[in-house]
Every structure is written in structure tokens, then in C-alpha cells.
Amino acid sequence: MDLKEMAAAEAVKLVRDGMVVGLGSGSTASIAIRLLGEKVRNGWKLVGVPTSRDSEELARSVGITIDELKNHPTVDLTIDGADEVDPDLNLIKGLGGALVREKIIAAATKYEVIVVDGSKLVDYLGQKAPLPVEIVKFASESTMHRLKRFGCVPVLREKNGIAFITDNGNLIADCRFQKIDDPKKLEADLNLVPGVVDNGLFVGLAHRVIVASKDGLKTLERKS
Ligand code: 5RP
């Protein structure tokens, strides 16, 4: 079993028959979705609330019943990935481009479980990954210019040589910071910039992080 599989399988052990489960995005969360599909094929009744179109498509293909958040204002448990995890379990997410829906569903979730391999653990956010910021298309150059004032270098994300478009029809500016000292403040401040929809800082949302490394599994719990 590879590291992502180990972490995903451990998270799926927390799911119970009858739960409303938030379905994360990215390669590690996708493994969890496939494992949840096995549970459904064994007779479990789960309702999946997907964080992206890709996750929705995958979940449907493995037999998971899908529903919208409006019908389940509270999600029992979400399994999602992350790009960086700091010692306080704050996260950078969104290298897969699903940060807005992921954050909406995380905020509606009673127990948010993050599954990563050990390479995602960092001493401080910004150590390895850029911070994805979802911005509207209108006047995106001006929004990018304002983002620079936060001390980062924003780069418009592209896929196959053209601008990457999110499931919400927006753009992503990947903002490279040297070091993010105060994730809570930066998360709030970035969202005040006109044209910014949301950013990939997830502060105080993860309850548990399951880390798989060559030494085995480690579970990190939020302190408060
Ligand atoms: C998508 C995400 C992903 O969860 C994050 O990029 C981790 O992906 P992976 O498990 O493939 O490393 O935030 O928006």
C-alpha cells in the first residue's frame, strides 16, 4: 500500500453506516472515495457531498449517492487532502483548484479529517507550496496587482497553456509567500480584496490529520 492509500484507508475507518460524508478533492481524497464506494457496495447507506465536479463524478461512478449541501446543512465527517499542514493543523489547500467548495463543506462539517503523506507537514505555511487564491475573471490583472501588496508573487494558474478555470468559473492566482506568519490574519485580509472569492488558507477547520510516512501512520488532533 502506498502512503496516500494508507492515510485514506485509516480515515475511512472513522466513517459509519448512515453518515453524510464530505468528499474531498485531489488524489488522496479520491482513494478515500473509492474505499467508500466499497462500503456502499457492501450495503452501507452513505450520502456523499462532493467538494468538486471531479469528486462528484468519481463518487457516482463507485455507487455513492450524491446530494447537495442545502439538503444536509451539517456534514457528519469530511475526508479531504491538503498541500501543507502546519503544527497547529492549519492548512494550505487548493493546488487541485477546489478550495472554495472544500472550505464551504469543511465549515459545515462536524469532523474534518485531512489525509496526507509526510511530505505535506511543514514548520510554517508557505514553506513549500504557493497559496492558491480564487479570483473572479473581471479585472483579474488589477486583483493580482493588489495581491502583490501582501508581499507575495502571484502567478495566474494555467492548464495546457490556457488559464485554469475552477468549478465556479473563476481563475486561480498562486501566490508564493516566503513565510506566512499569521495565517488567520492573512486569510481574512486576502478575502477583503475586491475580486477575491476565497483563498486556500484553512485555519481552525481540521479536527484530525492522518499522516502516512515510511515509519507508519501518525494521527494529529486539534488541541481545542
Ligand atoms: C484540491 C486540494 C487537495 O486536497 C490538495 O491539493 C491535495 O491533493 P493531493 O492529495 O492530490 O496531494 O486542496 O483543491
Side-chain angles (χ1 to χ4, degrees), residues 153-178:
V153 182
V155 175
L156 194 66
R157 188 180 300 181
E158 292 187 355
K159 190 175 178 185
N160 303 327
I162 52 168
F164 174 86
I165 305 294
T166 70
D167 284 355
N168 313 306
N170 298 314
L171 304 170
I172 298 257
D174 286 311
C175 299
R176 176 68 66 179
F177 285 87
Q178 291 296 319

Side-chain angles (χ1 to χ4, degrees), residues 10-21:
E10 189 68 10
V12 167
K13 289 183 190 164
L14 299 168
V15 179
R16 299 284 173 266
D17 191 9
M19 276 187 169
V20 176
V21 185

